[in-house]
Amino acid sequence: MLVPKLVTTLRTYDRDQFLGDLTAGVIVGVVALPLAIAFAIASGVPPGRGLWTAIVAGFIISALGGSRVQFGGPTGGFVVIVYGIVQKYGIDGLTVATLMAGAILFVMGLAKLGSAIKFIPRPVVTGFTSGIAVIIFSGEIKDFFGLSMGAVPSAFIAKWQAFGAHAGAITPAALGVSVASMAIILLWPRVNRRIPGPFVALIVMTAAVQWLHLPVETIGSRFGAIAASVPHPQVPHLSLAQISALVGPAFTIAFLAAVESLLSAVVADGMIGSRHRSNMELVAQGIANLAAPLFGGIPATGAIARTATNIKNGGRTPVAGMVHALTLLVITVFVGQWAALIPLATLAAILVVVAYHMSEWRTFIAELRSPKSDVAVLLTTFLLTLLVDLTVGIGVGMVLAAFLFIRRMAEVTQVSAVADESDEDVHDGDPYETDPNAVHRRPIPKDVEVYEINGPFFFGAAESFRDTIGRVARKPRVLIIRMRYVPALDSTGMYTLSELARRSRKDGTTVLLSDVHMQPMVALSGSPALAEIGEENLFDNLDAALIRARELVGVPMVESEIPVSDER
């Protein structure tokens, strides 16, 4: 249902809820201030772009979203991909990629693909999330220690080699500010949980740096003052070749925004006992990422930490998210000029804490005790995200997970000969003994063999079927393929059956299909495979197939041999 949660919640809105939303919105607006600035700087863009992302995208995500309590804005997950795009394509390239991602998200929502995101394997999500956390941490080492060095290499290994080469160039004042900031962030919740620790660290350390005249780099010394005026909407001009090159990054932004926002919405649902509208959430994310870049913003999505802070402070409707955006707007316009005094070491400390929480290291370690295939997906995604690129990490991780899933499904599907079930000694104490539809309860004529497929018959299981059938020592006159446990049949499975019927006919063998369920029957209807097998050779149950087999081999069925049950 593509109806924003705001419309639903306002039907029963009252004064008490407004006060709760107002309080939560203001508090989260204060929390979002240092985070928006820090994420922008870490992404390689001016700090003001992070603030306007939180303002524009944050307001839209709350006003149009499918969650009661979701807060949106720039997040740590985008730091890596945004930094890479800016370095390669510039700010204009980032703007175009974000606009394209917004359009992709909007279409995903209209196409009702919100529920499909839940099928992304957990090892892939954990792998790239942990990889991003390590990259964010690595990107803050220079400012955290105040290293006197030039530009930091973008490659992960080269970056740490550069840090090692400049290990003796630490600025004691910057390191002291970083450690003090981190201590405040970690210890302040013991004093007061309503006022956010990052905001307290930002105020205290900014004042300390100015009062003590500490020689540390600030936002103003590196980026200049933050403009207090509202930016004018602008659309960049890029060539068709540049736009084509940005398709990959745009899909990566859209994928990451969809996954992160819906994961955040699911977590929020568990905290308040609600249920979000995933498709409406994607539509809102799309509109937000179409609007924010026009005002100089960067990619935005649902923010789990800010959403949880909202809930803990009493926010229960989208009004809280809208208040949070308006709070940031007021701060940016009237107090934004003072943001130039914020020390970069404090922002680095804030992002180091964000990276720690984002790493999900406990989940990562727990995943290492999973089946080997899941561990392979986890480590492949993690290492490729670190050493190559986030896009490559996600892409290879998804493909590897898909192949391993196909392999597991192929192993589940079994093909076996069951004509020898007529040997009662084989089934002494076997489940077949109590199965009224087992083959051994039916007399199998000479020159007739029965094979059974157990599981979905798709392209992953086709090769196993060919191998099993290829081991048939003699060529029977009739080969019955029993499909009572085949819930699904794909085009490769149909082609395999068609090829079997064609080859068998050359050997003088007729192929019959029995116990064909609805989905395989519909798939076969009107297909070349049905023409090859023959519609007269498809049967609802094994008994009908055996009657047809007796006709083909010329062995009549006497009345005493007719089974009592004709069920599958």
Side-chain angles (χ1 to χ4, degrees), residues 79-409:
V79 167
V80 179
I81 185 65
V82 170
Y83 184 85
I85 295 173
V86 170
Q87 295 302 308
K88 191 171 183 179
Y89 302 102
I91 296 293
D92 284 351
L94 172 64
T95 301
V96 172
T98 307
L99 289 169
M100 294 167 64
I104 294 169
L105 286 165
F106 185 78
V107 172
M108 288 173 64
L110 293 183
K112 298 183 178 180
L113 295 179
S115 59
I117 302 298
K118 65 184 179 183
F119 295 114
I120 298 173
R122 181 65 183 172
V124 174
V125 176
T126 302
F128 78 72
T129 301
S130 299
I132 291 171
V134 174
I135 293 174
I136 292 174
F137 172 77
S138 302
E140 298 309 311
I141 294 298
K142 177 184 176 181
D143 290 336
F144 191 93
F145 290 95
L147 296 178
S148 299
M149 57 186 295
V152 179
S154 59
F156 181 75
I157 294 178
K159 183 179 296 184
W160 280 95
Q161 288 175 337
F163 291 153
H166 294 82
I170 295 175
T171 302
L175 179 58
V177 170
S178 298
V179 173
S181 300
M182 185 174 291
I184 293 173
I185 294 170
L186 297 178
L187 298 177
W188 179 255
R190 299 182 181 181
V191 178
N192 188 307
R193 289 188 173 274
R194 294 187 69 84
I195 302 176
F199 182 74
V200 175
L202 185 146
I203 297 298
V204 171
M205 297 315 301
T206 299
V209 167
Q210 296 302 311
W211 182 51
L212 299 174
H213 303 288
L214 297 178
V216 298
E217 203 170 7
T218 64
I219 290 178
S221 64
R222 182 179 296 182
F223 301 99
I226 297 177
S229 59
V230 179
H232 297 290
Q234 293 182 342
V235 179
H237 299 285
L238 290 179
S239 66
L240 183 60
Q242 289 174 305
I243 293 175
S244 299
L246 289 167
V247 170
F251 271 99
T252 302
I253 292 173
F255 173 84
L256 199 55
V259 171
E260 195 165 350
S261 65
L262 294 183
L263 283 177
S264 175
V266 169
V267 171
D269 286 348
M271 294 179 71
I272 64 173
S274 181
R275 189 172 183 180
H276 73 281
R277 296 165 183 162
S278 57
N279 296 316
M280 190 65 238
E281 187 65 27
L282 289 181
V283 169
Q285 297 287 337
I287 296 174
N289 282 284
L290 284 169
L294 302 180
F295 293 89
I298 59 179
T301 185
I304 296 177
R306 274 158 276 174
T307 299
T309 303
N310 169 49
I311 295 171
K312 291 176 182 178
N313 285 281
R316 288 298 181 274
T317 78
V319 172
M322 298 161 69
V323 170
H324 132 270
L326 295 175
T327 300
L328 276 173
L329 176 63
V330 171
I331 293 174
T332 301
V333 172
F334 294 102
V335 194
Q337 57 184 345
W338 299 103
L341 302 177
I342 297 173
L344 294 178
T346 296
L347 295 179
I350 291 173
L351 284 183
V352 167
V353 175
V354 169
Y356 172 80
H357 292 300
M358 186 179 178
S359 67
E360 297 184 341
W361 62 271
R362 292 184 180 84
T363 302
F364 190 95
I365 293 175
E367 287 284 353
L368 293 177
R369 295 191 289 269
S370 300
K372 292 181 179 179
S373 58
D374 290 334
V375 174
V377 172
L378 172 71
L379 294 180
T380 298
T381 306
F382 175 73
L383 292 175
L384 287 177
T385 299
L386 274 185
L387 304 177
V388 183
D389 182 71
L390 174 65
T391 306
V392 175
I394 293 174
V396 174
M398 287 294 294
V399 171
L400 180 59
F403 274 117
L404 292 173
F405 172 75
I406 291 168
R407 177 187 171 190
R408 284 195 292 265
M409 289 299 295

Side-chain angles (χ1 to χ4, degrees), residues 502-517:
R502 184 181 60 79
R503 292 197 310 269
S504 298
R505 190 162 50 250
K506 292 180 179 179
D507 296 330
T509 301
T510 301
V511 175
L512 309 181
L513 304 183
S514 78
D515 303 84
V516 184
H517 285 285

